[in-house]
């Protein structure tokens, strides 16, 4: 048995864990990171990155298909259209491969020791890892738990065979002819739209009476319209019961009590993710829980001294950039810096068609918080750049305090709007007022002008509507 000691041990090399380890290494902290799969975690290997690669490929294919059919106003024609899906997937795997190798390289450059295997706590300061070459014991002054999350399985639709999770959907060998998607949340809609564009007949079954319950209906309405244009059938208020006895058809109960039958070659179940709180010896520790998540304070400290937790295992929002920000903060705390969680803005971006961005408070959230607000909205149909891109659907909306014009939240929906999320976040994080945004020169012609115009609209004098 081999034994090592270190000042900081990080369990899990997803965005939370690897960022924490890199920053700790940069700060000269003697750091070890343990990962049982590949560096980069869910995000780089089976989440954010491969899904966005597939979404982009599907977009390109669909746009070209529209051209082939002569369905574009610019008069572009393309002939002999086909997609070699094997090559699409190989291209996607190439991207994740480059990124995971990159993370391994960055860890090495920061002087972090990487141990490959499943970590398990023996006690609060000792972890054992089953590696390929035998057991490794690691004694650490501080431990960061960054074990992430896993897809929720429905008891009546256990994963296996044609019932797949997002991981299965991102490694399909062929585009399924008929795809049923259970859950109209982030993953169901991002991947459901991508497969619809790749040619699948997609049916989405959602238990609630609306899609993307996280966002208000004004923001989701353009996505609902696009789903309809893509021929995606969306069954709202519909509860899945399981597969038919011959395994061919997904059975569900519609809101009106009628049984719905959805013939499917693959059934993608995307009904949320659960924190990975088992399989690493939590039973050996005394960690307080916050529901199903590990309880943390504003420094990501758990209820045990010297043990921190970050990322999806600590709760919502389960987003890669939140995990990374927590990871960076914890490394600095371990190095002795005075840090605590003081972030105002965690942007949420849904990579649907069109994309949705939300930063800070929505109008309803601001009102619920007791604020008197001013709201202004600017449509992309009045934005020159959006017209030149043939993507006039959507808008930017600004929510500000009525009294002093402090910006409380910014939301938007539109093609490519994910790239505006940084501008929105900076405004909220830096405490911008409407006048700051309206007084900033936004380059012409860009979609970002819609942001300045939305601020002007909130002030009562937009120029281009
Ligand atoms: P993870 O990335 O889950 O990493 C945890 C790591 O810990 C894993 O590598 C795991 O193997 C390892 N591990 C667990 N237990 C042990 C153990 N006992 N020993 C050793 N290693 C262990 N978020 C976004 O912000 N933007 C997106 O566009 C986005 N798209 C997504 C698309 C999909 C399809 C999915 C599934 C998720 C997406 N997410 C997205 C969410 C994002 O992937 C997660 O929020 C993020 O990966 C969380 O990071 P983490 O470090 O907490 O955990
Ligand atoms: P989600 O929470 O976004 O959506 C789940 C959906 O499934 C909800 O609409 C819910 O009402 C529905 N649902 C739940 N039980 C159901 C049932 N029995 N039948 C039918 N519908 C049911 O979950 P997800 O799409 O699995 O994504 C998980 C998490 O991953 C997200 O919450 C997010 O944190 C992260 N993620 C983020 C991004 C991004 O940032 N762009 C992309 C993908 C995933």
């Amino acid at each position: 048995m081999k034994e090592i000691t270190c000042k900081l041990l990080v369990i899990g090399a997803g965005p939370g864990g690897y960022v924490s380890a890199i920053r700790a290494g940069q700060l000269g902290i003697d750091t070890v990171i343990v990962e049982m799969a590949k560096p980069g975690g869910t995000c780089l290997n089976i989440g954010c990155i491969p899904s966005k690669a597939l979404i982009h490929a599907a977009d390109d294919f669909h746009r070209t298909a529209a051209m082939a059919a002569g369905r574009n106003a610019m008069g572009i024609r393309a002939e002999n259209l086909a997609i070699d899906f094997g090559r699409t997937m190989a291209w996607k795997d190439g991207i994740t491969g480059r990124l995971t190798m990159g993370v391994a390289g960055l860890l090495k450059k920061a002087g972090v020791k990487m141990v490959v295997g499943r970590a398990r706590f023996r006690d609060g300061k000792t972890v054992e890892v089953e590696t390929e070459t035998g057991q490794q014991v690691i004694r650490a002054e501080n431990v960061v738990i960054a074990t992430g999350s896993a897809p929720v399985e429905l008891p009546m639709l256990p994963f296996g065979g044609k019932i797949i999770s997002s991981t299965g959907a991102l490694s399909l060998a062929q585009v399924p002819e008929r795809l049923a998607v259970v859950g109209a949340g982030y993953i169901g809609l991002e991947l459901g739209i991508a497969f619809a564009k790749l040619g699948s007949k997609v049916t989405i079954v959602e238990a609630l009476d609306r899609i993307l319950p996280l966002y208000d209906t004004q923001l989701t309405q353009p996505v609902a319209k696009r789903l309809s244009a893509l021929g995606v059938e969306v069954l709202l208020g519909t509860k899945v019961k399981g597969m038919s006895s011959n395994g061919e058809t997904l059975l569900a109960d519609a809101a009106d009590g009628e049984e719905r039958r959805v013939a499917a070659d693959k059934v993608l179940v995307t009904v949320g993710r659960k924190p990975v709180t088992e399989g690493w010896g939590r039973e050996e520790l005394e960690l307080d829980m916050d529901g199903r998540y590990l309880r943390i304070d504003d420094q990501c400290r758990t209820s045990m001294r010297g043990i921190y937790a970050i990322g999806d295992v600590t709760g919502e929002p389960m987003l890669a950039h939140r995990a990374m920000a927590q990871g960076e903060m914890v490394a600095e705390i371990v190095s002795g810096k005075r840090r605590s969680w003081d972030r105002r803005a965690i942007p949420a971006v849904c990579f649907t068609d069109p994309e949705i961005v939300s930063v800070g408070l929505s109008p309803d959230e601001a009102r619920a918080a007791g604020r008197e607000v001013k709201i202004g909205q600017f449509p992309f149909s009045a934005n020159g750049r959006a017209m030149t891109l043939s993507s006039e659907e959507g808008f930017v909306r600004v929510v500000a305090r009525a009294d002093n014009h402090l910006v409380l939240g910014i939301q938007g929906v539109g093609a490519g709007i994910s790239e505006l999320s940084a501008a929105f976040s900076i405004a909220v994080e830096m405490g911008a007022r409407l006048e700051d945004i309206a007084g900033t020169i936004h380059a012409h012609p860009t979609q970002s002008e819609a942001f300045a115009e939305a601020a002007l609209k909130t002030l009562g004098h937009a120029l281009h509507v």
Side-chain angles (χ1 to χ4, degrees):
M1 193 200 307
K2 291 170 281 183
E3 245 185 71
I4 43 178
T5 56
C6 58
K7 174 149 178 176
L8 178 64
L9 167 65
V10 181
I11 303 178
Y18 86 70
V19 165
S20 199
I22 289 174
R23 184 69 189 122
Q26 289 173 343
L27 289 162
I29 299 170
D30 173 22
T31 306
V32 175
I33 190 164
V34 185
E35 171 56 56
M36 64 183 186
K38 287 188 191 157
T42 302
C43 180
L44 262 54
N45 294 289
I46 51 171
C48 327
I49 297 293
S51 60
K52 271 73 232 181
L54 191 69
I55 288 167
H56 174 68
D59 260 351
D60 271 6
F61 178 67
H62 185 71
R63 198 170 296 122
T64 320
M67 287 172 188
R71 288 198 309 268
N72 75 97
M74 291 168 277
I76 301 171
R77 287 201 66 90
E79 252 100 33
N80 301 325
L81 181 73
I83 184 162
D84 179 344
F85 193 60
R87 271 185 73 171
T88 308
M89 294 307 245
W91 166 76
K92 174 213 72 165
D93 292 343
I95 295 170
T96 57
R98 266 164 57 202
L99 285 170
T100 51
M101 267 172 58
V103 167
L106 290 170
L107 287 166
K108 198 170 166 194
K109 186 173 148 211
V112 176
K113 180 174 171 53
M114 171 116 173
V115 175
V116 180
R118 180 186 285 271
R120 203 184 157 73
F121 280 93
R122 205 186 258 179
D123 58 50
K125 300 275 176 212
T126 322
V127 164
E128 22 182 82
V129 187
E130 287 308 327
T131 72
E132 268 189 355
T133 54
Q135 199 182 61
Q136 169 88 66
V137 173
I138 306 167
R139 293 187 199 285
E141 264 176 61
N142 302 279
V143 185
V144 177
I145 301 170
T147 47
S149 64
V152 167
E153 193 173 48
L154 290 174
M156 63 293 217
L157 292 171
F159 294 129
K162 66 162 64 172
I163 314 223
I164 55 174
S165 68
S166 54
T167 308
L170 290 168
S171 59
L172 286 172
Q174 285 159 359
V175 175
E177 222 169 279
R178 298 161 308 174
L179 176 69
V181 178
V182 182
Y186 272 99
I187 303 178
L189 286 191
E190 286 186 2
L191 293 184
I193 289 174
F195 278 104
K197 288 180 176 175
L198 288 167
S200 297
K201 167 74 192 108
V202 176
T203 307
I204 301 180
V205 183
E206 166 61 48
L208 299 180
D209 61 1
R210 44 167 313 198
I211 60 166
L212 287 171
L214 204 69
Y215 300 100
D216 59 72
T217 41
Q218 228 186 343
L219 288 169
T220 57
Q221 200 270 336
V223 178
K225 193 171 150 195
R226 186 75 177 120
L227 285 167
S228 164
L230 287 167
V232 175
E233 194 178 359
V234 183
L235 307 175
L236 297 175
T238 303
K239 298 201 169 54
V240 288
K241 295 193 291 190
M243 296 301 288
S244 60
S245 50
N246 65 2
E248 289 296 313
T249 312
L250 176 69
L251 305 176
D253 282 333
D256 58 9
E258 286 289 302
E259 185 180 78
R260 299 300 300 255
R261 302 173 72 86
V262 182
D265 303 301
K266 294 283 177 200
V267 178
L268 168 59
V269 178
T270 56
V271 294
R273 293 179 61 82
K274 58 176 184 202
V276 176
T277 50
E278 308 298 328
W280 42 262
R282 181 165 63 93
E283 54 283 10
E284 308 301 330
L285 309 174
E286 298 282 333
L287 295 174
D288 286 354
M289 301 298 287
D290 182 4
R292 56 188 190 149
Y293 303 106
L294 296 184
R295 181 187 293 280
I296 51 166
D297 67 7
D298 65 353
Q299 293 187 311
C300 290
R301 291 181 301 193
T302 65
S303 50
M304 283 181 77
R305 205 183 173 82
I307 302 187
Y308 299 81
I310 58 173
D312 285 8
V313 76
T314 64
E316 299 282 355
M318 289 202 232
L319 298 174
H321 39 280
R322 168 178 171 266
M324 292 191 218
Q326 289 178 320
E328 183 262 354
M329 179 186 77
V330 167
E332 298 219 333
I333 290 170
V334 170
S335 80
K337 291 187 196 290
R338 284 165 70 90
R339 290 282 306 271
S340 61
W341 189 257
D342 57 358
R343 309 295 172 98
R344 282 194 192 185
I346 305 178
V349 180
C350 194
F351 292 83
T352 37
D353 180 5
E355 294 171 348
I356 302 177
V357 173
S358 179
V359 182
L361 301 180
S362 69
D364 286 347
E365 287 165 343
R367 287 189 199 105
R371 298 280 181 214
E372 203 186 317
V373 290
K374 274 176 172 293
I375 297 156
Q377 189 168 307
F378 186 84
F380 281 119
S381 58
N383 173 269
R385 180 61 176 152
M387 287 181 203
T388 65
L389 294 170
S390 296
S391 42
E392 296 176 34
E393 191 71 56
F395 58 86
V396 176
R397 184 176 70 196
V398 176
V399 184
R401 270 174 63 157
D403 55 356
N404 62 8
H405 297 176
L406 179 74
V407 175
L408 299 173
I410 306 156
Q411 297 84 35
V413 52
I417 201 171
S418 54
E419 291 303 327
L420 288 187
S421 66
F424 297 172
S425 299
I426 289 170
V428 173
E429 194 66 45
M430 296 190 72
R433 314 237 159 189
L434 291 172
E435 290 78 359
D436 296 321
I437 298 163
T440 300
I441 296 180
H442 287 71
H444 178 74
T446 63
Q447 285 172 286
S448 70
E449 287 171 280
F451 181 27
E453 286 279 3
L456 280 170
K457 183 87 190 296
T458 319
L459 289 166
H461 48 92
L463 292 164
H464 289 88
V465 272

